Amino acid sequence: MSSAKNININLKIWRQKNAKAKGSMETYKLDNVSTASSFLEMLDQLNEQLINDKKEPVAFDHDCREGICGMCSLYINGRAHGPDTGTTTCQLHMRKFNDGDTIFIEPWRSKAFPVVKDLVVDRSAFDRIQQAGGFVSVNTSGRTMDANAIPIPKEDADKSFMAAACIGCGACVATCKNGSAMLFVGAKVSQYALLPQGKVEATQRVLNMVRQMDEEGFGNCTNTGACEVECPKGISLENIARMNREYLKASLK
Amino acid sequence: MAKSALLKSSIAKKYWMAFTGLFLCLFLAGHLAGNLQLLVPNNALNFNKYALFMTTNPAVKILSYVTYLSILFHAVDGFLLTYQNIKARPVGYAKSNPSANSSFSSRNMAVLGTLILVFIVTHMVNFWAKMHFDQNIPLQTITVEVMGQKQELYLMTNDGYMATSQVAKTKEEAAKSGAQVYIKNRTEFYNTQADVKVGEGYKDLYKITVAFFKDPKYGLIATILYVVAMGVLAFHLLHGFQSAFQSIGLNSSTWIPKIKLFGKLFAIIVPILFAIIPVYIHFILK
Ligand code: HEM
Ligand code: SF4
Ligand code: FES
């Protein structure tokens, strides 16, 4: 590992007081950022500087800071979760940047993800899509069948697991030129469609989730594939195709 | 509920895009096969016979209506999708880097499609409308030598001939000049005295086409625009062909690589073959 050094950077950050306010890009200078720090630590450092200067700190979302909760977001230098692929913003490090760099930081942009404040957006549209069908009914009468008692082909189980890796971060929507949520919904539909437990509600699930997705104002997929490239969890386009297939099956029923 | 969803949901729109798009790819292949006959030397008669078949055969007629509808539906649906997609992001990014994650074609399908639509409209005005409506459409003739004298003859669909010197353009003209035959309904030869049909000529689409691309004033620009339009089509198909299969839900690891390869070849070869024809007519054909 190369040893850490300190760099001076310029930041251009979207500032917006609240959901109704008109926002704008503001410029900040931040000196002595360790390349060993994470991107979010760099923002913490900026916020300390702002607080010391008696200014309002930048609001941004984060929670686990280890790439599993899906809470962090940020459109960094024109890319969702920054320049790396397969990582969330909390896993991005300042060693990816150079002294003197100007870094653009913007919130997810989507009609369905309204800005709450600065870089924080409201992603409850995803929750409502989940509520519309992202579940299976399980008999809890006391005679619940052990899930492992149902044989599942290894390949299906693997694919279902891979789909279930989606952390609901919304990078797919943010990066899609159409603001489409189909990678997210595709993953959520696939994770159940591939398992016997998911078959019972399969028809209603895909119809309801897609209807909710449309109602939330997400755009239409045109298969550009940008979501697959930027998804931190490597969710594959195959899941969108599977959703399209499930939807066709369900609509013809 | 399920039925109405098949018309208005986001995914249903994608199915329609995909089915109409793939049907139009089939149409392109058929259209190309017809056009390629223009490259065969001394083939005017066969080309015109083919054009006659394509405008009169009932099965082809049905296919052509499906094609018109497909173009219309594909374009309207495409505009609708694009409109909704623009609305889905009311505030754009100050900085974005789309080439990092997607191809040029995939991001510009609507622009490419609109250019294709403009091309289709002008193309139909230039050729399709002449074939269907032009009252003075030329009929195919051949020149033969009869006793050392050049003579021009109309070719008839019953394999007969009719000297052009005997044929007047209209009944009135025939009355004036005393011609034995006049032309009615654009293609039918009528005996002037008996007023009965004696045969029918071939609409000379070959001549129209060659004249169009050899026109001293506009031939070069028409050729260039045609080639550019085929370039646009190539980019549209480069993304579109494989995209259609994803839209209808086909994404198996065995088939997708094959579909992608075939789609690339189709997207490159078909427009090139189309484009060769006007280039040949303008620069090479004597
Ligand atoms: C011969 C002409 C054409 C052919 C063969 C063709 C073919 C295709 C194909 C195969 C697709 C992919 C469908 C999918 O992804 O599901 C497509 C997409 C598209 N086409 Fe066309 N097209 C033609 C003309 C047009 C025209 C005239 C327009 C518009 C005015 C247009 C606009 C679009 C748009 C906007 C898309 C992207 C929509 C999407 O991916 O969801 N196309 N086309
Ligand atoms: S599909 Fe990927 S990018 Fe989209 S929400 Fe899930 S994890 Fe995030
Ligand atoms: S903060 Fe949890 S994934 Fe980034």
Side-chain angles (χ1 to χ4, degrees), chain B residues 107-120:
Chain B
R107 281 178 273 121
N108 292 288
M109 289 301 275
V111 176
L112 295 167
T114 307
L115 290 175
I116 296 173
L117 188 63
V118 171
F119 170 78
I120 292 176

Side-chain angles (χ1 to χ4, degrees), chain B residues 64-284:
Chain B
S64 69
Y65 284 116
V66 178
T67 307
Y68 305 146
L69 279 179
S70 290
I71 294 173
L72 217 69
F73 213 103
H74 189 83
V76 170
D77 206 24
F79 281 126
L80 220 66
L81 279 167
T82 308
Y83 171 70
Q84 290 178 339
N85 290 347
I86 292 169
K87 273 207 325 195
R89 175 160 300 140
V91 183
Y93 291 107
K95 187 177 172 117
S96 70
N97 186 1
S99 56
N101 54 38
S102 52
S103 69
F104 167 84
S105 295
S106 77
R107 281 178 273 121
N108 292 288
M109 289 301 275
V111 176
L112 295 167
T114 307
L115 290 175
I116 296 173
L117 188 63
V118 171
F119 170 78
I120 292 176
V121 171
T122 55
H123 186 74
M124 285 180 82
V125 168
N126 290 332
F127 299 103
W128 176 88
K130 277 197 190 129
M131 196 63 188
H132 283 82
F133 308 117
D134 184 1
Q135 289 307 315
N136 297 313
I137 189 162
L139 301 180
Q140 184 173 7
T141 59
I142 49 166
T143 308
V144 288
E145 272 207 24
V146 183
M147 291 182 286
Q149 271 202 333
K150 286 221 159 111
Q151 203 178 4
E152 218 187 359
L153 306 171
Y154 281 120
L155 278 177
M156 302 211 290
T157 53
N158 59 7
D159 293 335
Y161 301 96
M162 178 87 65
T164 54
S165 54
Q166 295 175 11
V167 181
K169 292 270 181 255
T170 61
K171 197 174 181 178
E172 293 75 39
E173 228 175 79
K176 261 188 236 148
S177 65
Q180 292 163 17
V181 177
Y182 72 94
I183 298 174
K184 194 169 158 181
N185 297 331
R186 303 163 70 214
T187 58
E188 291 164 10
F189 298 119
Y190 268 70
N191 180 293
T192 311
Q193 270 116 42
D195 215 13
V196 287
K197 185 171 158 184
V198 292
E200 200 164 327
Y202 287 104
K203 292 178 187 171
D204 202 348
L205 187 61
Y206 181 88
K207 187 173 172 181
I208 293 177
T209 310
V210 170
F212 184 79
F213 288 113
K214 275 201 164 309
D215 187 275
K217 228 165 144 184
Y218 301 112
L220 181 62
I221 187 78
T223 304
I224 291 172
L225 286 178
Y226 193 101
V227 172
V228 169
M230 289 307 109
V232 170
L233 178 65
F235 279 106
H236 194 75
L237 293 179
L238 222 39
H239 174 69
F241 193 92
Q242 54 85 29
S243 169
F245 290 89
Q246 167 82 2
S247 292
I248 54 181
L250 208 136
N251 190 336
S252 84
S253 45
T254 32
W255 283 103
I256 283 300
K258 294 185 180 108
I259 289 172
K260 282 196 168 158
L261 178 70
F262 183 82
K264 276 212 176 84
L265 292 175
F266 188 90
I268 294 167
I269 293 172
V270 168
I272 285 183
L273 289 177
F274 267 114
I276 283 175
I277 297 163
V279 171
Y280 165 79
I281 292 176
H282 183 81
F283 292 106
I284 298 169

Side-chain angles (χ1 to χ4, degrees), chain A residues 126 166-172 183-184 231-233 235:
Chain A
F126 270 12
C166 166
I167 53 177
C169 64
C172 43
L183 193 63
F184 168 78
C231 171
K233 295 296 151 189
I235 302 294

